Structure formats: C-alpha cells, structure tokens
C-alpha cells in the first residue's frame, strides 16, 4: 500500500465518521514559539489553549511537520528524519476515550478490502498511564486486547502536556510487534525497536498550573471540556505496510536513494558509511522540497538557515559518495514526482522551487571550492602542532570570509578526527553581530499570556470591527489595561490598552500598519498609538492620554485620521499593483514573500535569485503606473479558501487562512487577485503615483522593492527635480545634458588625481636617495630606520623597496620604514641579498617590532610588512631596528 493510499484511507475513515477534513497548514504557521510546525496538533493549538473557539467539534488532518533538533543523527539511525507527516483526528468537547479507541482500532485492524490497514490484531500492543484502569478496560472491551498486551507506563511516556501551563492528559500509545528478528520479547517496555509505536491517543482532560518537566507538573483541575488529540506517524505505518525496515525505504523516499545510487555508481546496502550518506540525501532532499514549497528560501538565519543547511548537507553527501555534478537538479524532480501525489501545489510552484534550489547549489559549489582547501590547511596546521581542536578563530574566518557554515566545519572536523572550539566561535559571532536592541514592539503578536484578553473576549464577545465601513463611530469602553492588568483610570500622559465594544480602527495585519487617530471622551482625548489583535476577534488599542484623565464608563467617539487611512489604502493597493507588475515583468515565479506598507510607503519582498537590472526596475515601475492610469476597478469578495485558489487568487506564504471564509481583493479582474484583509482604494488611479526608490537583496534568494505612493511619491519626485535643477544651475547645462556633463567632470577628476598621484610619488621617491645616503653602519651592515608620517601601507612599501635599491648592493643592507595615517601604523622591512647572507631577515625584524606598535605582521626574509594601532611608540620601534640587526648580523 503506497503512502498516498495510506493517507487517503486515514482521511476517508474519519470523514465517514463525521470529522471535518482540515488541509495541512503551512510548515510556516504563524507561531513565534516554533520555527516550523512540528506536530499535527499545532494548527489546532489555539483551540486547545482556549484562545479561540473551534469552528467544528471533530476534525481530521494529515499535517506536514519538520523537526531539526536531531539533524546530525539523520542517516546514522533509521529512526531520525527531519520531514514527516502526522495523521491525526481531533475532538473538541465531543467524543472522548471510547470514541478515540474505537476509531483507531477499527482503522488499523479492518481489512484492506473494507478500507482499513489490515494489521494483524494479534500483533498489536498498547500502553496506558500507570493507574489508568478506565483506558485498560476500554481496550479490553472495544478491541478485545488481553491484559498481557496492555502495559502501564509512567508520566514520562504516557502523559502529554505542552511544556507550559495549559491542557494536558494521559495518553495511550499503539505499538506493532515486528517479530523476534527485531528484538527481545516483552512488549514496548522490553524493546521499542521490535515493538514500534505507530499511533498516540491523547486524552486531554486536565488543566495544568505549573509544568516543571514532562513528568513533573501541578494539576489545577479538570478542563471545562474533554478533548481528543491523536497522532499516527504516516511514514512508520508506510514502512510496516510496505514490508520495509525503515522510513528511508518507503515509496516516497527510496526513489531518491535509487537515483543517488545511479548518479554515484555506489550501491545502497553495501557500505555502512555510504548508507548514512544515502539516507541523508533522501531525507534532506524531501525536506528541502517541502520547505521551498511553503515559501522558505535559503538564508543565514532562522528558517532560511535550516533550509540552507539541509540542501548543503545533501549536496555534500553526494560529493562524498563520489558525485561532483549538480545534484539537486537531478534529485529534486524524483522527490517531486512522489510528493506531489499528496501535495499538488508543489507542481504548480516547481519553476520557483527549482530556481531557488539551483541558485543555492551554485552558491554552495563556490563556497566548497574556496573553503575546503582552507579548511584542509587549517586542519593540517592544527594536527601538525599536536593539537586536536580547531580554534574558534579559524572556524570564524571560514564562516565570515568564505561563507563556510559552522555545522559544515563541525562535520568536516569530526571526519578529520578533530573537534572545534565552538565557544570561541560563538563568542566571535556575538561580538560581530552585537544585537543588543530588544525592541518590545517587535514582539507584538507573540504568544505571551493571552489569558486576560481571552477573558475579555469570553465576557463581552468579539469586537464590532467597522474598519471597512466607516472612519468614526460612537463606542464604549469594555476594558482598560496597563501592564497586562486591569486599571481604573489613566492620567494625562500615561499609556495603556483600551478595548472598545466597536471600533473603526484597522488593527495591524497582513503587512499593513495600524491606523492612527484619536478617541474623544467627555473632558479629554486619547491618542491611538497602535492597534493589535492579541486573540482572534478582539481588537485592542494602545492609547496615550492627551487631555484630561480617562476612566472607563464615559461615552467615547473613535475617529481614524482620514489622511492616514487614505495613505494606507494607497500604499496597500500599491503593494498589490507592484506584485502584479513583478509577475508581468519577471514571470509567475516572482511571488511575494512578505510586505509592509504604511501611508505613502511600501516595501515588498519576493523570491528571486538575482539582482534586477535597471531596465527591469523601470519596466516594473512603468507597468505599475500604466495600471494606475488605466483606472482599474478595485473590489473584494468573500469565498472559501479552495474557491479562492480555483479562482487564481494568490496566498502569501506562511499566512494562516480560515477555509470557511477568506477575502479576495482583485485589481483589474484577473490581473491581480490576492487573499488580503487590508484596506484598499476603489480604483487604481486613486493610488496617485508609484515611484520605485530601490531594489536590493534581503538574503539569498530574496529581493526587496521599495516605493512611495500618493503625495509622498510626488514629493519624492519633486525632491529629485530640485536636485536636478540645482545641478544644472551649478554646471550651467540643460537637464538632458546633465549626465554627460557629470561624466566629463568625473573623467577629468580621475585624470587629475592620476597626475597628482604621479607628482606625489615622484616627490616620495625623490627623497629615497637622501634617506639611503643617511644609512647607519651597524657592524658592517647599512641600516635605514625611517619614519614617514601621513603615509599608508602602499607608500611605506614603495619607499622601503626604493631605498633598499639605492643602498650599495655589494654590502649588507636593511631598511625599515614605519608610516602613520588615520590612526593606523604600517611598517615594512626590506633586506638585500647580502644582508640576508649575514643572517638578517625582514620577517624577523617585523615580528620584533610588532608588539611595540600594537600589532603584528610577517613575510619573507627579503620583504615583510606589518601594522598596528600604537603610533606613540614608532620612534622606540625605529631605535630597536639597529639592535635587532646587530643581534642577527653578529659582529
């Protein structure tokens, strides 16, 4: 039974039993506590936490998941993988233990002909929480399991909680006995390789007050409603039903191994080390495909770094298997052919995915070419010194200068029998980044304790949100908060959070900044600083008291600043226009990955692997303004998410949408259709103007366009006009001739600078003869020690070499010149052949002077150079030259 069929049977089974089919959420679900969705219940977390009310009582899903904590173990064992799929059924206050057990038992043991999986009931074992007699009895009654195949285990194994205060409860795990060839008898307690867990049924029934550890917590009391959360590992069931020994050999993964074997000429199963690499390739190629499918692009931080690491580990594993060609373009299509059966959007996005992967492989091949040799040199140097630890400085240099990721350095060091000073590396990284700013505002929307907001919502219902309908309304206060707690009043100048029964203010979302405005009350006025939705349905205003003292109870009049809203509408509609223009100019793979807009300004991030040409930027700007001139109608309507996708609407990667109702904004019909909850103009001409002000990289595979709209766009153009006017006046030319005139001036300036450089160099070298003539005799060696203030390293080296050339070549000679410019000291030593024969070395001279100058340096016996930061000891260093020459040259 292939994996797609296992997935289909799971969903069909629960749909027949009254469960709402919920599509897999994106791996990039908006949850700041998680880098990626890592469990099937994550999309339902707000329902279990009580932050939102579930729109259905029963649900079934097959959720994409990624876990990367054990990424180094992938391939070394057959149990660790980064991407996996969790089949789950959920009950929100509906059925409980009997229903969950019966549904699971029926599916796994029913015959294949009847739509089940056909597992042998005699090989099924279960575990329950120690002392949970009810669950033991239910397994006996419903499934007919004998007591000897029901084992009790402690909280560490059979109690589920989220690791924080909230819901929790005992769980019952279902195991399949693979047979004596896989381990000892005795059930899961004896051997979890032989007895493989395939399904976990969680019975959420308690509210936890404090959670100190997985098995150490305080129970506050029973939950108001009992819930069910289950998880069946799709890959585990697949390899059991397909008669394989591990997840790497199932139909969704093994074809990648087969392709890798074909490309490398190696055989899977013939060599243990090769097998690890084959499994790394299979896992990481599939995980990379799914992450790119959900909009992740390789980068140096967060999600982007995880993807980069996965792709680069796969590429390097192929190289270790002997394949030097481009690997991803060979392997990703194989994975696509299997994964698109369950996730058809992958095929639609294939062009973008393949472009992102190709760009990353190109970049990594360059990194490998430059960095591998440097690593080998560093490793050899470390070993030759008798050490076993690669220094943090060396690891940092590989990372900072050549883009070698630290995890790759760690892997290569391990293969070379070395370790890495990770603490030293991390310390240097911390010094470089200096990320000291902890802007509290950046944490808006994070899951802090939302309990107080949930209580307000439960007591008063959702806010009557009127942002689409009006700019002002009469309101009354529902709650007033300060520091997360209810307060009775706010004095003039104080800041707090105000919840209204109704509001016209737009709460920040979808990249659009919150509205500005005021809330008036009898005897005073509040300034609205920010507007957020900490829980769905509740709008919270951050306010500052401008006049009077504010206390809840008085009648309020909420007023959005109309100019602010107009500017916001122009900018948000402008973002959609720019996005459509991007796709028209660059092609359909140029998709938005993020945006921000406020009155008069917008920025749009999009997936693209190379910088745009000036002509492309001009074309995007022109297409945008042609759309404005065409006065395209702007409209919106509500529909289901599946209807919106069928209609061609574009959804932003990583955003969460309600499948029961989404808002689709269109500009000019099919030209621009996007899922969006923002405020917009009624016709494109109302945007006024769109002026693209910049295009730049914001990470590998991601670009950003910035633009001004409306009055701000005209103001930007006016400033540009004024600059052109001033320049034409200064240069006494016409605007059309301005570029040519400036080019002429630049060329003349460059020519003049070259002539000046020649004069300056001639003057510098003109003094060389006089300096050489003043050489000091030190034991028969001509020694010159000269100070050259105001000179940098290049001039110092030029003078030192010229002076050495003017010394008599039949006598030993040594020259040291030390310069000082812009707070930096540069020193160069030059020794002729006769001087070297007497034992004088330029390298030794520089090394001796370095500590005095606050630096270091080196080179060869004939020429060496160094630098430092302590100019106060230059004269002392010059005096040391004669001493060092005398010591080296003997008497």
């Amino acid at each position: 039974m292939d994996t797609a069929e296992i997935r289909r049977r799971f969903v069909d089974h629960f749909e027949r039993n009254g469960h709402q089919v919920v599509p897999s959420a994106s791996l990039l679900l908006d949850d700041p506590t998680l880098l990626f969705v890592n469990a099937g219940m994550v999309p339902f977390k707000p329902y279990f936490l009580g932050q939102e009310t579930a729109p259905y009582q029963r649900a079934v899903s097959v959720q994409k998941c990624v876990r990367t904590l054990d990424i180094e173990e992938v391939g070394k064992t057959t149990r660790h993988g980064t991407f996996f799929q969790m089949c789950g059924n959920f009950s929100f206050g509906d059925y409980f233990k009997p229903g969950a057990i019966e549904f699971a038992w029926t599916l796994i043991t029913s015959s294949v002909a009847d739509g089940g999986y056909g597992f042998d009931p005699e090989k099924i074992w279960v575990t329950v929480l120690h002392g949970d007699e009810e669950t033991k009895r239910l397994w006996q009654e419903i499934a007919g399991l004998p007591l000897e195949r029901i084992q009790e285990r402690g909280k560490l194994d059979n109690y589920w909680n989220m690791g924080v205060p909230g819901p929790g409860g005992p769980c019952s795990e279902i195991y399949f006995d693979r047979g004596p060839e896989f381990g000892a008898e005795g059930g899961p307690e004896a051997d979890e390789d032989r007895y493989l867990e395939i399904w976990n049924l969680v019975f959420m029934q308690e509210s936890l007050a404090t959670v100190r550890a997985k098995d150490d917590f305080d129970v506050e009391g029973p939950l108001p409603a009992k819930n069910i959360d289950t998880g069946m590992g799709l890959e585990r069931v697949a390899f059991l039903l397909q008669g394989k020994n591990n997840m790497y050999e199932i139909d969704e993964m093994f074809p990648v191994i087969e392709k890798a074997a074909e490309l490398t000429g190696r055989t899977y199963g013939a060599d243990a080390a090769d097998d690890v690499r084959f499994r790394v390739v299979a896992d990481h190629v599939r995980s990379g495909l799914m992450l790119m499918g959900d909009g992740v692009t390789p980068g140096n931080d967060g999600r982007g770094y995880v993807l980069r690491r996965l792709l680069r580990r796969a590429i390097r594993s192929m190289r270790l298997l002997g394949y030097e060609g481009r690997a991803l373009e060979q392997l990703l299509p194989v994975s696509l052919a299997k994964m698109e059966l369950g996730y058809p959007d992958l095929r639609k996005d294939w062009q973008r995915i393949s472009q992102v992967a190709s760009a990353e492989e190109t970049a990594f091949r360059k990194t490998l070419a430059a960095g591998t040799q440097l690593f080998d040199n560093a490793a050899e140097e470390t070993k030759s010194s008798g050490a076993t630890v690669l220094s943090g400085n060396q690891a940092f240099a590989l990372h900072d200068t050549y883009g070698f990721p630290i995890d790759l350095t760690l892997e290569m060091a391990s293969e070379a029998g070395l370790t890495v000073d990770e603490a030293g590396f991390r310390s240097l990284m911390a010094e470089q980044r200096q990320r000291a700013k902890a802007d509290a505002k950046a944490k808006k929307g994070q899951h802090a304790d939302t309990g107080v907001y949930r209580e307000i919502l439960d007591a008063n219902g959702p806010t009557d949100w009127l942002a689409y309908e009006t700019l002002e309304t009469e309101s009354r206060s529902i709650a007033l908060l300060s520091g997360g707690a209810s307060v009775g009043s706010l004095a003039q100048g104080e800041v707090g959070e105000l919840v209204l029964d109704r509001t016209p203010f737009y709460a920040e979302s979808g990249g659009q900044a919150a509205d500005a405005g005021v809330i008036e009350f009898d005897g005073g006025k509040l300034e609205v600083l920010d507007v957020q939705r900490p829980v769905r349905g509740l709008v919270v205003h951050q306010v500052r008291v401008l006049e009077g003292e504010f206390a809840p109870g008085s009648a309020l009049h909420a007023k959005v600043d109309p100019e602010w809203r107009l500017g916001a509408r122009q900018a948000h509609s402008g973002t959609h226009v720019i996005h459509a223009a991007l796709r028209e100019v660059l092609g359909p793979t140029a998709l938005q990955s993020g945006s921000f807009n406020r009155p008069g300004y917008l920025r749009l991030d999009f997936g693209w692997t190379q910088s745009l040409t000036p002509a492309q930027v001009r074309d995007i700007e022109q297409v945008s303004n042609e759309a404005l001139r065409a006065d395209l109608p702007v409209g919106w309507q509500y529909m289901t998410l599946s209807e919106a996708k069928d209609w061609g609407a574009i959804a932003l990667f990583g955003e969460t949408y309600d499948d029961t109702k989404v808002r689709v904004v269109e500009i000019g019909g099919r030209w621009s259709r996007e899922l969006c909850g923002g405020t917009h103009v009624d016709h494109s001409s109302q945007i006024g103007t769109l002026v693209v002000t910049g295009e730049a990289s914001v990470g590998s595979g991601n670009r950003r366009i910035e633009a001004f709209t409306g009055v701000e766009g005209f103001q930007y153009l006016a400033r540009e006009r004024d600059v052109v006017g001033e320049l034409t006046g200064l240069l006494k030319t016409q605007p059309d001739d301005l570029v040519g005139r400036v080019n002429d001036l630049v060329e003349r300036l460059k020519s003049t600078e070259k002539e000046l450089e020649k004069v300056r160099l001639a003057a510098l070298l003109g003094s060389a003869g006089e300096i050489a003539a003043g050489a000091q005799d030190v034991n028969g060696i001509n020694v010159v020690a000269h100070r050259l203030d105001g000179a940098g390293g290049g001039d110092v080296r030029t003078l030192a070499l010229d002076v050495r050339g003017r010394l008599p070549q039949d006598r030993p000679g040594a020259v040291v010149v030390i310069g000082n410019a812009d707070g930096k000291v540069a020193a160069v030593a030059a020794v002729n052949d006769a001087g070297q024969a007497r034992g004088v070395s330029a390298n030794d001279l520089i090394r001796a002077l370095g500590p005095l100058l606050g630096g270091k340096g080196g080179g060869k016996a004939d020429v060496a150079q160094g630098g430092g930061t302590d100019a106060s000891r230059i004269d002392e260093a010059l005096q040391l030259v004669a001493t060092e020459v005398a010591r080296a040259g003997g008497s």
Side-chain angles (χ1 to χ4, degrees):
M1 189 182 299
D2 63 31
T3 305
E5 177 63 13
I6 297 170
R7 183 190 299 111
R8 186 192 66 77
R9 286 177 180 242
F10 187 90
V11 173
D12 286 353
H13 172 69
F14 285 99
E15 187 176 23
R16 287 196 305 269
N17 286 281
H19 290 67
Q20 172 69 43
V21 178
V22 180
S24 174
S26 166
L27 287 165
L28 318 184
L29 196 64
D30 182 20
D31 185 334
T33 66
L34 297 172
L35 198 61
F36 300 109
V37 171
N38 63 357
M41 59 78 61
V42 169
F44 304 100
K45 196 166 145 185
Y47 309 147
F48 291 130
L49 287 173
Q51 296 171 342
E52 298 176 19
T53 301
Y56 29 67
Q57 287 189 300
R58 300 181 177 192
V60 58
S61 72
V62 180
Q63 176 61 45
K64 299 178 289 186
C65 302
V66 165
R67 293 180 186 170
T68 57
L69 291 177
D70 298 324
I71 192 170
E72 291 85 2
E73 299 304 313
V74 170
K76 296 178 182 177
T77 74
T78 56
R79 291 192 298 174
H80 290 92
T82 52
F83 174 83
F84 60 97
Q85 299 156 89
M86 190 60 71
C87 304
N89 59 288
F90 307 89
S91 167
F92 308 101
D94 190 8
Y95 62 84
F96 198 49
K97 288 183 181 181
I101 292 172
E102 184 169 359
F103 287 142
W105 182 256
T106 301
L107 177 60
I108 63 177
T109 61
S110 291
S111 69
V112 173
D114 291 333
Y117 294 143
F119 280 106
D120 183 353
E122 298 301 317
K123 293 185 177 182
I124 301 297
W125 290 62
V126 299
T127 61
V128 301
L129 181 66
H130 184 76
D132 187 355
E133 296 298 325
E134 178 191 14
T135 303
K136 287 172 62 177
R137 176 179 55 80
L138 288 170
W139 276 113
Q140 290 176 282
E141 294 176 355
I142 295 171
L145 279 178
L147 276 175
E148 58 266 24
R149 283 195 275 130
I150 304 174
Q151 295 187 327
E152 296 186 38
R153 306 183 82 173
K155 292 178 181 178
L156 193 62
D157 295 297
N158 278 74
Y159 193 98
W160 179 91
N161 65 68
M162 297 175 65
V164 295
C171 59
S172 182
E173 297 174 329
I174 304 173
Y175 292 80
F176 179 77
D177 180 4
R178 303 166 71 192
E181 65 270 30
F182 291 97
E185 293 185 8
E189 281 276 76
D191 192 324
E192 288 198 10
D193 282 328
R194 171 175 172 173
Y195 300 90
L196 188 73
E197 180 196 343
I198 59 173
W199 206 337
N200 187 16
L201 313 180
V202 177
F203 311 127
M204 290 190 195
Q205 61 188 43
E206 295 169 330
S207 177
L208 308 186
T210 304
V211 180
R212 291 172 291 275
K214 191 174 186 300
D215 58 344
D216 183 12
F217 47 81
D218 298 327
V219 177
E220 188 175 47
L223 287 173
K226 295 179 179 180
N227 305 312
I228 288 293
D229 159 28
T230 84
M232 186 191 85
L234 181 58
E235 283 78 9
R236 288 194 176 188
V237 172
F239 80 68
L240 290 175
L241 292 181
Q242 292 172 19
K244 305 299 181 182
N245 289 331
N246 58 69
M247 62 180 286
Y248 297 101
E249 297 175 10
I250 65 173
D251 62 308
E252 282 192 350
M253 297 184 71
F254 196 66
V256 175
I257 291 179
E258 290 179 314
K259 184 64 176 180
E262 174 192 326
L263 293 171
T264 62
R266 306 281 181 97
T267 301
Y268 180 69
D271 179 84
D274 282 354
D275 285 354
V276 170
R277 292 160 185 153
F278 278 123
R279 290 192 286 263
V280 167
V281 170
D283 175 86
H284 290 5
V285 165
R286 185 172 74 144
S287 299
L289 171 68
M290 301 307 294
L291 287 172
M292 289 185 288
D294 274 359
V296 183
T297 55
N300 292 325
D301 294 293
R303 292 163 171 164
Y305 179 70
V306 171
L307 174 60
R308 169 162 287 168
R309 189 177 178 191
L310 290 169
L311 295 180
R312 293 188 170 191
R313 279 177 58 111
I315 295 166
R316 185 165 179 271
S317 293
M318 288 295 288
R319 292 172 74 93
L320 292 173
L321 286 166
Y323 184 69
E324 297 292 331
R326 297 182 67 85
L328 295 182
E329 64 186 38
Q330 298 285 340
L331 299 172
L332 279 169
V334 178
S335 187
L336 171 71
K338 289 297 181 180
M339 298 309 296
E340 69 175 322
L341 299 177
Y343 307 97
D345 283 347
L346 290 171
R347 175 62 66 181
K348 298 177 184 177
D349 291 334
W350 174 244
Q351 186 177 355
R352 174 186 58 81
I353 292 169
S354 58
Q355 286 178 347
V356 170
S358 178
E360 180 62 17
E361 182 154 17
T362 297
F364 187 48
R365 287 168 70 90
K366 293 178 181 177
T367 296
L368 278 175
T372 301
Q373 184 59 50
L374 292 166
F375 172 84
D376 290 343
N377 292 340
E380 182 59 35
E381 180 182 333
T382 301
K383 289 181 176 180
S384 63
S385 69
T388 59
V389 180
L390 197 71
S391 73
N393 282 329
Q394 290 170 310
F396 180 75
L398 282 165
H399 170 85
D400 192 48
T401 307
Y402 299 99
F404 234 50
I406 182 60
D407 56 274
L408 182 55
T409 301
L410 290 169
E411 286 188 15
M412 293 177 68
S414 177
E415 291 166 1
L418 301 171
T419 58
V420 179
D421 177 12
E422 285 190 72
F425 170 81
R426 305 291 178 196
S427 176
L428 290 169
M429 287 292 292
E431 290 175 17
Q432 183 198 55
R433 291 178 178 177
Q434 291 292 312
R435 294 181 177 174
K437 292 184 179 180
D439 185 358
K441 191 173 182 180
K443 297 182 180 180
K444 291 184 301 187
Q446 292 194 4
H447 293 310
D449 183 5
T450 58
V452 63
Y453 303 115
R454 185 68 205 180
E455 289 176 6
I456 296 170
L457 180 63
D458 289 342
N460 300 278
T463 306
D464 187 6
W465 189 60
L466 306 174
Y468 294 151
E469 303 166 27
T470 183
L471 294 179
E472 55 183 287
T473 184
E474 301 300 322
S475 303
R476 65 182 179 87
S477 60
I478 296 298
L480 182 64
L481 307 172
S482 179
S486 178
V487 294
S489 64
L490 291 177
Q492 186 167 331
E494 289 186 334
V495 175
E497 291 181 308
L498 176 62
V499 182
L500 305 176
D501 65 334
R502 67 183 63 174
T503 181
F505 285 90
Y506 183 85
E508 180 180 354
S509 64
Q512 180 175 327
D515 277 335
V518 296
I519 299 173
E520 298 172 338
F521 61 94
D522 187 17
K525 184 186 297 184
L526 306 172
E527 177 187 10
V528 177
L529 304 175
D530 192 15
V531 190
Q532 297 290 324
R533 281 194 181 93
V535 295
R536 184 179 295 183
L538 192 72
V539 177
V540 178
H541 310 74
Q542 186 184 57
V543 297
R544 177 191 291 119
V545 182
L546 295 180
E547 302 171 12
E549 179 176 343
F550 176 72
S554 56
L556 304 174
H557 189 73
K559 297 168 57 177
V560 175
D561 182 337
E563 290 299 315
W564 179 280
R565 173 66 73 81
L566 174 60
R569 292 168 64 202
Q570 291 174 320
H572 204 149
S573 296
T575 303
H576 286 223
V577 168
I578 288 279
H579 191 198
L582 270 174
R583 300 196 307 277
E584 184 170 321
V585 173
L586 302 179
T589 60
L591 287 173
Q592 176 182 337
S593 58
S595 68
F596 174 74
N597 50 78
R598 64 170 187 265
Y601 166 83
L602 68 87
R603 69 169 185 252
L604 184 145
D605 297 344
F606 61 101
W608 201 249
T609 56
Q610 55 193 356
S611 60
L612 304 189
T613 66
Q616 287 174 321
V617 174
R618 285 195 301 271
D619 288 345
I620 291 165
E621 188 176 57
Q622 181 171 341
V623 169
S624 299
N625 281 292
E626 286 174 352
L628 270 57
R629 185 176 64 182
D631 196 27
L632 301 174
V634 180
W636 45 87
Q637 55 182 296
Y638 292 92
M639 60 188 71
T640 66
L641 180 58
S642 57
E643 289 172 339
K645 289 182 177 180
D646 291 341
W647 207 41
I650 296 174
L652 180 62
F653 288 120
E655 287 290 323
T656 305
Y657 300 100
D658 185 352
D659 190 49
T660 59
K661 186 176 68 172
V662 295
R663 183 172 182 256
V664 179
V665 174
E666 65 173 4
I667 301 176
R670 295 186 61 85
W671 188 68
S672 170
R673 284 177 178 164
E674 298 189 35
L675 273 63
C676 179
T679 60
H680 290 271
V681 298
D682 298 316
H683 289 83
S684 61
S685 61
Q686 295 171 342
I687 297 172
T689 189
L690 269 168
V691 182
V692 176
T693 60
E695 184 275 334
S697 170
V698 286
S700 177
N702 261 309
R703 309 294 299 179
R704 170 174 292 172
I705 276 189
E706 296 181 277
F708 286 124
T709 60
V711 172
E712 286 78 3
F714 286 114
Q715 291 172 343
Y716 178 85
L717 292 174
R719 289 193 298 272
E720 296 282 292
R721 177 199 61 200
D722 292 344
V723 170
V724 170
E726 289 182 29
L727 289 174
T728 55
L730 287 170
L731 300 176
K732 295 181 173 53
T733 188
Q734 296 300 312
D736 290 345
D737 299 327
L738 183 59
V739 173
R741 183 83 170 102
V742 171
N743 276 334
D744 289 343
L745 286 174
V746 170
E747 290 302 318
R748 288 169 57 188
L749 181 60
K750 288 180 179 178
S751 177
T752 302
E753 287 177 343
K754 288 180 180 178
E755 292 301 319
L756 288 173
E757 177 63 17
K758 290 179 182 178
V759 172
R760 188 189 63 77
L761 189 58
L764 176 67
L765 297 179
S767 64
E770 182 180 347
I771 294 170
Q776 175 186 2
D777 185 291
V778 177
N779 295 337
I781 302 172
N782 288 326
V783 177
V784 173
H786 182 74
R787 177 172 184 150
L788 190 64
D789 287 327
D795 287 343
V796 170
R797 184 181 179 90
T798 299
L799 183 61
L801 294 175
D802 195 51
V803 171
R804 183 185 66 176
R806 293 173 185 268
L807 294 175
Q809 297 304 299
D810 57 346
R811 291 194 60 195
V815 178
V816 174
V817 179
I818 302 177
N820 175 29
D822 299 324
K824 295 180 180 179
V825 177
V828 173
V831 180
N832 63 18
D833 291 342
Q836 294 173 57
R838 280 284 300 272
V840 181
S841 166
N843 180 56
D844 293 342
L845 289 174
I846 288 297
R847 288 184 179 274
L849 302 181
L852 289 176
L853 301 175
K856 58 183 180 180
K860 298 181 179 179
D862 60 338
V863 181
Q865 63 187 52
T869 57
D870 190 355
S872 67
R873 303 186 70 181
I874 290 178
D875 291 339
E876 185 180 348
L878 291 171
Q879 292 172 7
L880 182 62
V881 172
T883 302
E884 289 296 317
V885 170
R887 182 185 60 77
S891 57

